[in-house]
Amino acid sequence: MPAPAPLFRPSYLLFFWILLAACAPSATTPPAVEPAKTVELPPPPAPAAPAAVAAPEPDPGTAVPVTRADPWWGDPLAPVTVVVWGDYECPFTSRYMATLEQLKRAYGPERLRIVWKHNPLPFHKNARPAHLAAETVFQLGGAEAFWRFHGLAFANQRALTPESLEAWAAEAGVDRAAFRASFARQQHEPKIDEDLQAGKAVGVTGTPASLINGVLVSGAHPIDKFQGVIDEQLRAAEDLQRSGVPRERLYAALSAQNRARAPAPVRSPAPAEDDPTVWKVPVDGSPTRGDPGAPVTLVIFSDLECPFCRKVAPTIDALEKKYGQQLRLVFKHNPLPFHRRAEPAAELALEARAQKGDAAFWQAYELLRQGTLEEADLAAHAKTLGLDVARAQKAIAARRHAARIERDQLLAETLNAQGTPHFFINGRRLLGAQPAAKFEALIDEQLARAAKLVAAGTPPAKVYDALQKDAKAGAPLERVLAPAPTRDNPGKGAKPGAKVTIQMFADFQCPFCKRVQPTLDEIIAAYPGKVRVVFRHLPLPFHKQAPLAAEASIEAFRQKGDAGFWAMAQRLWEDPSETGLSREAIERHAAAVGLDAAKLRAALDSGAHRAAVEADRKLAASLHITGTPSFAINDYFLSGAQATARFKRLVNKALGPPDPPTMESLHGAKPPAAPAQPAAAPQPSAAQPSATPGLLGARHLLVMYVGSRRAPPHVTRSRDEARALAEQALKAAQQGARFEDLVARYSDEPGATARGGDLGKFPKGAMVREFEQALESVAVGALSGVVETPFGFHVILRTQ
């Protein structure tokens, strides 16, 4: 099957796709910093100290609040404030720091204030500890110490080890012992979660993201883009001051004004609070508390380290007291990957249950939600609970109850309940640490429903089963029917024919393909003799050096087998820039791994291995795999450099009883056909060019997802979430919303907002097949339905 064509074929390319510089695969990555060394930094420019501004104190604002709890540089009364959400492990945030330094020098602390917000991304395993360390330094040493630490962390981004974090804290001027004690207790972690929530509220979906007096700029752009916004805000601040607004009110007024003008942030459609769906949430042997025959069952998906889970715990206690035998609690574990001690705590709670039953589990739950969860704390809790302490410690170390935890996490994933806390009340969803009134309203509703069932003859003890009988099951795991690899495909781990084969579609210019290698090695080690990782080539079209690197790696495999391939792959991933993967660099790598130089040159000159690369590319296209890294774990699909736990859940599924895929679960399956459009469809704008015979014309909006072709870095939603957003946009268009406004709100295509989604005029054959067929099926001035192409989900307005 031929690979899908690009959205526009090269001969008819009407505009360039611009990849935003943010944390995601990029054709160019910053040069690597040697982890063994700590880069020395000159003293940073002295920030405006709090003492320098005795009064008045700036208004923090409500649109993008900024307080003294946030690390800042510059005069708090500066007319322009840049609030930065960044990630210490993100290479694009690192690149942006140099731009910020230029902006500081250009505008000075009197006109510019920089404020830092924490946004560690979940797939950056060292980011969360680095952010916790930075916040600890700020709390102990203030803004000046923070910025010193901050600079060291970015200058040595590949060395974010606990030892380095402690050393940099001391170098920043913080007492080492005080830092170590506070860091170990994770005393300031709630601030990181607060910043993450604040970022979501203002539309931050990737790093870096800046709000300049409330104007959102996503990505590490050239300095001109930031200067344009800052200059505009300086003028706006002058206008406000002339009109009588005091300096301390400038930020609050401008950020509120700019946020009000901005399009509403497009968020992944997390389940709505008023979702009327009854979801299938089996008890499945989980710990329970309360009357087994209670008419209302409240299922809790929780993380024992999550501050929001702890915050809502007293509310749940009060509900138990209020409803008594009418309410049963069921506990499901969902330790989040960035909470370091959540899983050991879950292991202890389950071990308490294994040794002494459900009552001991709930006693453990009460203890664990109250304080720190370090090894010594867990041992003390085990003693308090009357457990065999040595046995409990062994259970935690061996992850004895991992299968139970992973089963709960898999259920959470299928129910789209991946954040914590997350509740289901008789199958009805409730998100987050809500006030008691929210729970009570839903419980009272369910009590009334249960009473009707009992009156109709359902035994009280069977009410939950009756409600679950017709409940909606969660989304099935995505499947991909990849053919089995052959001995011509390089691999590592178990021998060919292993119980689980992970086929990795990868690109040597993609930094995320390199990043996931240690995770794959962990998986191989965790399942000795059971898991084999096989490499499939998928050089992405915007990675110009990737095809040659792929051919060189195949030659390494031909000459030296699996060992030669992986040795070459490791070297190719060291520097994925165009220079690092030039022909000259590839030949140096080949020499370093002991390849026959003459054979390599002959293979590259003749293109001997292009057909093999193309075969893998065509296979990926036939499976609707368009991004790297992507994985077929037997036939379970996984996209991106995910956490180890995510891989383990799918490996365990693959090792378990056969679970045949369905059409609904296949990755890339077509959505249902769009309904017919109403007659009163929006018309093209008056500025649309006149018709030209033989040409087509369209505006479109495009909602992308992780794995869709050329998805910008900030796009983190799933395919199903993208489709739901596109359907939401279509509904708004059908109700008369201006198409340009919908493009600004929904479209992920770079540059689309400035064009209003206009694609201009183009001949037949210039579009990918799915797009062109949908366009030709509607009249000029009419809307398509939701149309899927390899780029994502489109809503198309035909203009010619």
Side-chain angles (χ1 to χ4, degrees), residues 621-699:
S622 71
L623 299 171
H624 303 282
I625 293 174
T626 57
T628 59
S630 291
F631 305 89
I633 303 175
N634 281 8
D635 61 5
Y636 290 97
F637 178 71
L638 185 62
S639 175
Q642 304 277 0
T644 304
R646 184 75 176 85
F647 279 91
K648 284 187 174 181
R649 290 202 287 277
L650 295 185
V651 169
N652 290 338
K653 284 288 291 181
L655 287 169
D659 179 16
T662 62
M663 283 303 296
E664 182 188 8
S665 68
L666 287 181
H667 173 69
K670 294 289 181 187
Q677 303 306 316
Q683 298 299 308
S685 112
Q688 183 66 27
S690 59
T692 304
L695 296 182
L696 301 171
R699 293 178 184 268

Side-chain angles (χ1 to χ4, degrees), residues 735-761:
Q735 292 172 348
R738 282 195 346 134
F739 199 79
E740 294 88 342
D741 294 340
L742 296 175
V743 170
R745 180 172 181 181
Y746 290 96
S747 189
D748 295 308
E749 178 195 350
T753 299
R755 302 189 316 273
D758 188 12
L759 299 177
K761 295 179 290 187

Side-chain angles (χ1 to χ4, degrees), residues 20-33:
L20 293 180
C23 200
S26 171
T28 305
T29 55
V33 179

